[in-house]
Amino acid sequence: MTTLTINGAERTLDVDPDTPLLWVLRDELRLTGTKFGCGVAQCGACTVMLNGMPRRACVTPIRTLAGADVTTIEGMSGREYDAVQAAWRALDVPQCGWCQSGQVMSATMLLQQLPAPTDQQIDEAMAGNICRCATYHRIRTAIHDAARTLEG
Amino acid sequence: MTIATSRRGFLGATSGLMIALALPLKGRAQDAPPQGAEQAVPPALAPAPVPPNAFVHIAPDDTVTVIVKHIEFGQGPLTGLATLVAEELDADWAQVRGALAHADDTLYANLAFGMQGTGGSTALGNSFLQMRGAGAAMRQMLVETAAEAWGVPAAEITVAKGRITHPSGKESGFGAFAEAAAQRPVPDNPTLKTSDQWVLIGTDLPKLDTASKTDGTAMFTLDQFPEGAQVVVIERPTSFGATVASYDDAEAAKVAGVRAIRPLPQGVAVYADNTFAALKARKALKVEWDLSAAETRTSQQIMAEASAAAREAGRTVEETGDLSGFDAPGATVIEAEYQFPYLAHAPMETLDGVVTLAEGSAEASYGCQFPGIDRAALAKTLGLPMESVRVNVLLAGGSFGRRAQGTAHFATELAEVAKAGGPGSYKLMWTREDDIRGGYYRPLSVHRMRGAIDAEGRITAWENVIANQSIMAGTAMEAMMKDGLDSSSYEGSIGLPYDFGGFRAAWRQLKTGVPVLWWRSVGSTHTALATEMFVDELLEAAGKDPVQGRLDLLKPDAARERAVIEAVRDLAGWTGKVQGDKGYGMAFAKSFGTYVAQIVELENRDGRPQVTRAWCAVDCGIPVNPNIIRAQMEGGIGFGLGAILHSQITLGENGAVQESNYDDYPSLRIHEMPQVEVTIIKSDADPTGVGEPGVPPIGPAVANAWRALTGQKTRALPMLQNPGVV
């Protein structure tokens, strides 16, 4: 049994303690916005916010999360998130869409830390998120656009 | 992928149709004049007469839902086909939605294939008149209904932005008349707008699937949770063609949540209550494999065989002029061999599927490119009539060709899972390791090139012998091969726009036990590289500029090729010179009827090419949605760049795949993505596709720029794992 907070609600989960957070979110809680891409923290499709920082849910066993505060894309809010959502839509960033929850999570947390990132800071913060459709060009532009709206 | 013959014979006649809706036959994409055999798609089936309500549903609240017969995995048909309907219907874009059609080869045939299917960048081209016709028919039926209800002549009614109006002041949305309109006879020959009347086509309409893919609510296959469904993963052989000799499931069966462990033709399947239990139990399985029928050669051995085969004459697939230039006095003959590895598609969403088996029927839901072929395979494996099997097509997290399976191997596996499990629901998932090691790769290929330059610096002869494995042979697609030739093995190496004097291209078919498949842009993944790297080398040897040299080589009728090359030259401000620490290279490729030229700028960073900028000019006929065209060029550039820098699948001892995940089969990441600028050529030609054509030119453009900057010639890919590049 592990008790933690997910998207603001306290949850007690009776699952195999080795179960990665990813499969708890998806199979137990049906929070399907968090995606499976690799299972080994290489692609970032499962990025969630753990105690305010980005975390790969696929390599995070539930037993390590007692008392933790987890936010998935379903529970995101705030100015940075809203700015990212608006910028993503204005530029039609997604193609297949599978990785985009993770991209949006990483971009939001980047802007929470660095309100006006440079190209290089964007590349460093987003390098853990693979997009096989290679929407990177628009991701970079969208993050700059979101940063500009946060300024004003 | 090019489709060479009608598929009517394979699927059986498409008869028993419903209401006739005659559509104009002229000007479909496949009617474009052939330029080289790889583009010579003969007229496909006449469009099956399909009622417009198979494509358009109008709800009482005015919502217009366009049923899209092609799968959406990022390349844009959901928005593109909806645009065509909305244009002729005079709908307002805000009222338009898109939905993916279920499997039905009669209603939802790709008119270029004669069966339902997404591939070969054909979605928009084959639908251009059909979807507009459906929209126009529906509009006419709405207008006639309104005219009757209002007691006015139909000719006095106008429709714009989703409103039906009459000068008398009468006005309505679509929804109020939708039900009555659906009862009316379908017009035989609805009038289509002329291009000057278009208000949606040619504009950057926002994509219909952007919002749900941005906030995580878009539903994919893995997001389906049918009541009581068991999650299934399969322990698979380590060599292609190996079978289960024996297995020990004692430990695996002890894992909590495991429901069953069953041998299948594909391996040993674990059925469990949840994903983690299935994965944990699979890890605990002990399986002995029988390798007696397996492909056990290493990829190095297969490459050596391909290299030797490419030194043979091969079977001529195109020959023009004569090759005497090779023997002319004073001629310089240049030779090169280019080696291309196996490539996995590695879409972000691995193969997965949901199936529910009931007494006498089955329903499968997942992302598939050939739903009809899959449906037939499901029916056959389950011993059910086709009518009792439904296949719902879902959004897919990428494909790049991986879900276009002439063998229906995944559908068959899904059916085996259900058959062995008995009535109930199952969610079958491949892990990333299953995906990378699961075969169906871009075929390993070798191009052996020879070129002759005369004393005046003219290219006088060109020969290219290609050795690789056929994608179609041994699959349901074999029916499309002509005289044993699989044009997808060498498309892009023939029908070239350049006048080389004498020309010969030949193909030498290899046979291996490694399953292969089309990979975004298919033959052009290697033919464009070999052709455009070699053209560049010959031009350099002749002392010519890569851009002007290509323009000078173009045949007189190559106007569209000329236009994109000139456009990208101007966009990039091409000088042909190394500038400071930056090198530049260009390449051109026509694939799937679309013309693309690209120029890149790159730097040498510690011995590795860092592509900083890419410029792209594309002519895809009428640009229906320029925003999607630009996105596909950007994405095609990134996808192709990742492959030529990083990607290869290698087979080691006993033919076991050495790579397993994104750590050892790297994908392009954001810091490697160049800035991209795209220009779209203005055109009134019939539209062609953009899903694949952005890919072929990027590889040779990068290799050419690298050669210009460093003098190092690329002879084998990927660039970062071969000599010459650290």
Side-chain angles (χ1 to χ4, degrees), chain A residues 31-48:
Chain A
L31 295 168
T32 53
T34 307
K35 298 298 190 209
F36 165 73
C38 68
V40 293
Q42 282 289 317
C43 78
C46 67
T47 304
V48 297

Side-chain angles (χ1 to χ4, degrees), chain B residues 522-563:
Chain B
V522 196
S524 295
T525 58
H526 51 91
T527 58
L529 269 151
T531 301
E532 288 289 305
M533 288 194 292
F534 198 55
V535 168
D536 223 63
E537 287 189 34
L538 294 183
L539 288 172
E540 185 188 20
K544 301 207 167 127
D545 174 77
V547 171
Q548 191 56 47
R550 278 177 177 77
L551 289 170
D552 292 344
L553 275 176
L554 288 178
K555 294 170 183 169
D557 61 352
R560 294 176 78 177
E561 288 87 344
R562 183 174 300 281

Side-chain angles (χ1 to χ4, degrees), chain A residues 93-105:
Chain A
V93 171
Q95 289 188 24
C96 88
W98 189 263
C99 74
Q100 295 294 341
S101 295
Q103 305 281 0
V104 163
M105 294 298 286

Side-chain angles (χ1 to χ4, degrees), chain A residues 15-20 23-45 56 73-74 81 84-101 103-105 119-120 122-141 143, chain B residues 72-75 204-207 209-211 213-223 225 231 273-276 279-280 344-350 352 396-398 400 427 429-433 519-520 627-628 630-632 634-636 638-639 647 661-663 665-677:
Chain A
V15 297
D16 183 330
D18 289 337
T19 309
W23 300 119
V24 175
L25 294 173
R26 294 184 52 84
D27 286 356
E28 305 299 320
L29 305 175
R30 305 286 159 92
L31 295 168
T32 53
T34 307
K35 298 298 190 209
F36 165 73
C38 68
V40 293
Q42 282 289 317
C43 78
R56 306 295 184 232
I73 190 157
E74 290 88 350
Y81 179 73
V84 166
Q85 284 288 317
W88 244 246
R89 286 167 206 230
L91 281 174
D92 272 319
V93 171
Q95 289 188 24
C96 88
W98 189 263
C99 74
Q100 295 294 341
S101 295
Q103 305 281 0
V104 163
M105 294 298 286
D119 273 349
Q120 197 183 332
I122 291 172
D123 283 359
E124 282 164 8
M126 303 298 293
N129 288 83
I130 291 175
C131 174
R132 289 289 288 157
C133 303
T135 61
Y136 300 125
H137 182 61
R138 290 183 189 217
I139 288 173
R140 215 183 271 144
T141 309
I143 292 174
Chain B
E72 172 67 63
F73 36 59
Q75 80 285 33
D204 285 345
L205 290 176
K207 283 161 67 174
D209 50 344
T210 290
K213 288 176 172 179
T214 299
D215 65 12
T217 57
M219 296 301 275
F220 298 85
T221 298
L222 213 59
D223 305 331
F225 290 87
V231 177
D273 289 333
N274 61 64
T275 312
F276 182 64
L279 293 171
K280 190 173 176 178
H345 308 70
M348 292 302 301
E349 181 185 17
T350 55
D352 50 13
F400 316 115
K427 176 150 65 174
M429 186 186 91
W430 286 39
T431 61
R432 180 59 56 199
E433 289 77 13
W519 189 100
R520 194 176 185 181
N627 181 42
I628 291 178
R630 287 191 298 273
Q632 286 308 300
E634 295 160 11
F639 188 77
S647 302
N661 207 311
Y662 289 129
D663 49 355
Y665 188 77
S667 180
L668 193 84
R669 291 179 186 269
I670 193 168
H671 60 279
E672 301 167 306
M673 183 73 193
Q675 271 201 57
V676 181
E677 263 182 83

Side-chain angles (χ1 to χ4, degrees), chain B residues 601-615:
Chain B
E601 171 191 276
L602 53 70
E603 296 171 9
N604 180 348
R605 292 206 190 147
D606 306 320
R608 296 161 66 105
Q610 173 75 33
V611 181
T612 46
R613 299 189 71 179
W615 296 269

